[in-house]
């Protein structure tokens, strides 16, 4: 098994009641001193909180998934991703408020909850099986409190002030017999991913937890944005080790891209002579060529009410060296017709769209994306939200994402050869 579990040997402790209500609770206060509204900042195409909400929702043992917040926008995003929301009071929304106080308020408001699975929003590499296995330690093995840890191979020293002239003292190493990393088991550190409790122990302020246990997670899943990792590095880790949902996309063979609002910014420019113009980004056009070089067909598609005239759309298609489907009355039917013609399944198709007509295609496609200013309905349906605006790099960003996932799908064997002693 990938992760290891440990608990005290007392096997006589009674189990929790039959069929206890198990609730995931994600605390997401609006205030953030480091990164404003960090909990909903987009990480690898998904709001940070969306990664852990998705993992929790796909955990079969959980009965409910809640986000506790004091902020309207966090509430909106949490609901978009499928979580229930509970508004925390001003008393537990201060900079000085503790997680324990917020969880105690939660269980007072939700009397049906028996087990609280406190999941940190800042741990985007959490997977459903982590939650399930740790939860079983409470439900099946009678633990009162389970927390996540990671094994690290770091030598610790005491801190001294230089002016005192004292030598630092090693805490976990004999410098005369410094072990090789592979000969030393390392030490366990909390990784901040989750803390699970029985209700009664939260009520008494965690004063009487008789059976505590840790759940060990692998280093590659122990990403804590709060502590030791910056955003670009976190994105690389999440793209490789994050949880992307139950339905893994297949190898994309066809990308359908809306013209207006994706390849262009949706604006029409009129010259002095009355000629209509649109602007595109050379990086977006280059991205289409890049996908084509990877044997991924790209088709531009526009609806019947698209503001970009057919003549301009055809020029864009020629520039991109791809096919155009212009003036489509019903995009879903058109895409299904193309799939049948090319003998493809939805899991083989990527779709980048933005308007109401795109919603069904965004929902069905194996991989789907929207620009950052897409309507709410399209944003809910999509699996990826671009940071780059439409007409200014959105297509390039989504193309990079397609190729990264393709690389991820073909590198699973490499992940099994990770040198975790030197991670």
């Amino acid at each position: 098994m990938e992760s290891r579990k440990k608990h005290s040997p007392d096997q006589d402790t009674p189990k929790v009641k039959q069929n206890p209500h198990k609730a995931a609770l994600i605390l997401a206060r609006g205030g953030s001193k480091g990164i404003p509204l960090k909990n909903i900042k987009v990480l690898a195409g998904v709001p940070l909180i969306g990664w852990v909400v998705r993992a929790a929702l796909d955990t079969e043992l959980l009965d409910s998934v809640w986000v506790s917040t004091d902020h309207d926008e966090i509430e909106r995003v949490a609901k978009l991703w499928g979580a229930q929301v509970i508004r925390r009071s001003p008393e537990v929304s201060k900079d000085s408020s503790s997680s324990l106080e917020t969880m105690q308020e939660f269980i007072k408001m939700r009397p049906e909850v028996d087990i609280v699975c406190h999941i940190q929003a800042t741990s985007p590499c959490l997977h459903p099986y982590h939650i399930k296995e740790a939860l079983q330690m409470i439900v099946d093995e009678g633990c009162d409190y389970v927390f996540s840890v990671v094994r690290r191979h770091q030598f610790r020293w005491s801190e001294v002030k230089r002016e005192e002239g004292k030598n630092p003292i090693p805490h976990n190493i004999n410098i005369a017999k410094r072990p090789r990393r592979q000969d030393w088991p390392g030490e366990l550190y909390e990784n901040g991913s989750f803390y699970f409790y029985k209700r009664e122990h939260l009520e008494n302020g965690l004063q009487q937890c008789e059976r505590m246990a840790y759940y060990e997670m692998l280093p590659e899943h122990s990403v804590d944005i709060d502590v030791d990792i910056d955003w670009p590095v976190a994105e690389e880790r999440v793209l490789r080790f994050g949880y992307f949902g139950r339905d893994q996309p297949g190898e994309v063979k066809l990308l359908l891209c809306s013209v207006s609002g994706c390849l262009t910014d949706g604006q029409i420019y009129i010259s002095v002579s009355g000629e209509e113009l649109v602007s595109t980004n050379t990086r977006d056009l280059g991205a289409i060529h890049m996908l084509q070089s990877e044997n991924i067909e790209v088709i531009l598609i526009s609806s019947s009410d698209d503001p970009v005239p057919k003549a301009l759309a055809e020029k864009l298609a020629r520039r991109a060296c791809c096919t155009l489907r212009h003036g489509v009355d019903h995009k879903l039917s058109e895409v299904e017709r193309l799939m049948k013609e090319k003998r493809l399944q939805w899991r083989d198709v990527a779709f980048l769209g933005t308007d109401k007509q795109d919603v069904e295609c965004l929902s069905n496609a194996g991989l789907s994306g929207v620009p950052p200013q897409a309507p709410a309905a399209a944003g809910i349906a999509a699996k990826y939200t671009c940071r780059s605006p439409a007409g200014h790099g959105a297509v390039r960003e989504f193309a990079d994402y397609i190729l990264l996932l393709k690389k991820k799908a073909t590198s699973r064997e490499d992940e099994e050869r990770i040198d975790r002693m030197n991670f």
Side-chain angles (χ1 to χ4, degrees):
M1 184 172 67
E2 184 184 28
S3 300
R4 295 174 287 278
K5 302 175 279 188
K6 185 176 180 62
H7 56 80
S8 58
D10 180 11
Q11 299 298 321
D12 298 325
T13 305
K15 296 180 181 179
V16 295
K17 75 179 187 182
Q18 188 176 9
N19 298 321
H21 185 103
K22 303 166 287 293
L25 177 63
I26 302 157
L27 308 183
R29 192 168 63 90
S32 174
K33 299 302 181 185
I35 305 174
L37 290 179
K38 173 184 59 185
N39 291 317
I40 56 174
K41 180 179 169 66
V42 173
L43 176 74
V46 174
L48 180 59
I49 199 172
W51 289 100
V52 292
V53 168
R54 177 162 57 192
L57 287 170
D58 285 355
T59 303
E60 296 173 354
L61 291 184
L62 287 173
D63 298 299
S64 58
V65 177
W66 294 87
V67 169
S68 169
T69 187
D70 60 339
H71 196 279
D72 292 342
E73 187 62 12
I74 295 177
E75 176 179 0
R76 185 186 72 83
V77 172
K79 288 180 176 178
L80 287 180
W81 281 87
Q84 299 180 75
V85 172
I86 194 163
R87 293 296 292 230
R88 63 172 67 182
S89 67
E91 288 72 26
V92 297
S93 300
K94 304 172 185 175
D95 289 341
S96 58
S97 299
S98 69
S99 297
L100 177 59
E101 292 172 326
T102 311
M103 288 187 288
Q104 288 175 328
E105 179 183 75
F106 171 75
I107 58 176
K108 286 179 182 178
M109 299 173 72
R110 307 304 311 180
E112 76 279 6
V113 173
D114 301 299
I115 298 172
V116 175
C117 305
H118 172 207
I119 298 172
Q120 302 272 48
T122 52
S123 300
C125 283
L126 186 68
H127 285 244
Y129 75 87
H130 295 139
I131 302 170
K132 179 181 178 180
E133 291 177 0
L135 192 51
Q136 286 173 328
M137 297 169 70
I138 290 182
V139 175
D140 298 334
E141 301 176 26
C143 295
D144 300 316
Y145 170 37
V146 177
F147 57 97
S148 58
V149 300
V150 62
R151 190 174 298 274
R152 300 203 186 281
H153 294 76
Q154 296 172 329
F155 298 128
R156 294 181 292 108
W157 291 77
S158 63
E159 183 178 357
V160 296
K161 295 181 179 179
R162 184 174 296 179
E163 58 269 21
E164 293 178 353
K166 297 180 180 179
N167 288 329
I169 299 172
H171 288 306
N172 61 351
I173 178 180
N174 180 346
I175 60 172
K177 298 180 180 179
R178 181 184 290 268
R180 298 182 305 168
R181 287 174 63 92
Q182 59 265 38
D183 296 331
W184 180 49
E187 296 181 329
L188 298 177
Y189 291 79
E190 288 188 16
N191 70 353
S193 286
F194 59 73
Y195 305 85
F196 295 176
Y197 315 87
K198 290 180 183 175
R199 179 188 186 93
E200 57 266 31
H201 298 297
L202 284 175
E203 290 175 331
N204 67 34
L206 306 179
Q207 297 297 314
Q208 300 175 6
C209 291
E210 296 180 2
R211 296 192 65 198
M212 294 188 293
Y214 62 75
Y215 178 87
E216 185 177 349
M217 293 172 60
L218 295 175
E220 57 264 35
H221 295 133
S222 299
V223 176
D224 187 350
I225 291 176
D226 254 349
V227 177
D228 61 355
I229 201 162
D230 63 20
W231 215 263
V233 176
E235 286 192 324
E236 292 296 323
R237 289 273 293 275
V238 167
L239 285 170
R240 187 172 181 188
F241 303 114
Y243 175 68
F244 288 81
R246 288 176 177 154
D247 299 324
Q248 294 295 324
E251 184 176 339
V252 172
K253 296 173 181 161
L254 171 65
L255 167 64
L256 290 142
C257 175
S258 291
V259 177
S260 182
C262 288
L263 185 59
T264 76
D265 58 11
Q267 298 188 70
I268 302 293
Y269 305 90
I270 301 176
S271 68
V272 175
S273 62
E275 185 180 8
E276 292 182 314
L277 307 168
V278 294
S279 67
T280 56
N281 191 296
T282 55
R283 293 178 67 246
D284 289 336
L285 294 175
I288 292 175
H289 298 150
M290 179 176 65
L291 290 174
Q292 291 167 337
S293 70
E294 294 288 332
N295 297 317
I296 298 173
E297 184 180 2
V298 180
I299 294 178
L300 302 183
I301 188 168
S302 63
S303 58
S304 53
D305 57 353
D306 195 310
V308 176
K310 183 178 181 181
L312 286 179
E314 288 175 340
K315 285 184 179 180
L316 288 174
R318 286 196 295 272
R319 195 53 97 77
C321 302
C322 57
T323 304
L324 170 69
R325 293 288 187 272
H326 187 269
V328 176
D329 290 322
H330 195 269
K331 286 187 179 179
L332 179 63
S333 299
E334 177 66 12
V335 174
E336 289 177 337
R337 187 189 66 76
L338 286 169
M339 288 166 50
K340 185 176 181 180
E341 175 186 301
K342 298 175 184 299
R343 298 182 179 179
L344 299 176
Q345 303 296 320
W346 274 112
R347 67 190 311 272
D348 305 317
V349 175
F351 193 96
L352 183 63
T354 185
D355 61 31
K356 291 181 179 179
Q357 258 211 61
D358 296 332
V359 170
E360 290 178 302
C361 295
L362 290 167
S363 298
N364 288 314
L367 197 59
S368 57
V370 291
Q373 301 304 320
I380 295 170
K383 299 176 178 68
Y384 185 93
T385 301
C386 298
R387 289 174 299 179
S388 303
H392 298 276
V395 176
R396 175 56 186 260
E397 182 182 336
F398 191 56
D400 285 340
Y401 184 64
I402 291 171
L403 296 179
L404 277 169
L405 290 189
K406 180 181 179 180
K407 182 179 179 181
K408 175 183 172 69
T410 58
S411 64
R412 299 194 191 280
E413 292 183 3
D414 294 335
E415 291 182 19
E416 295 301 318
R417 294 194 291 268
I418 292 172
D419 180 6
R420 295 184 174 91
M421 294 289 290
N422 294 290
F423 194 89

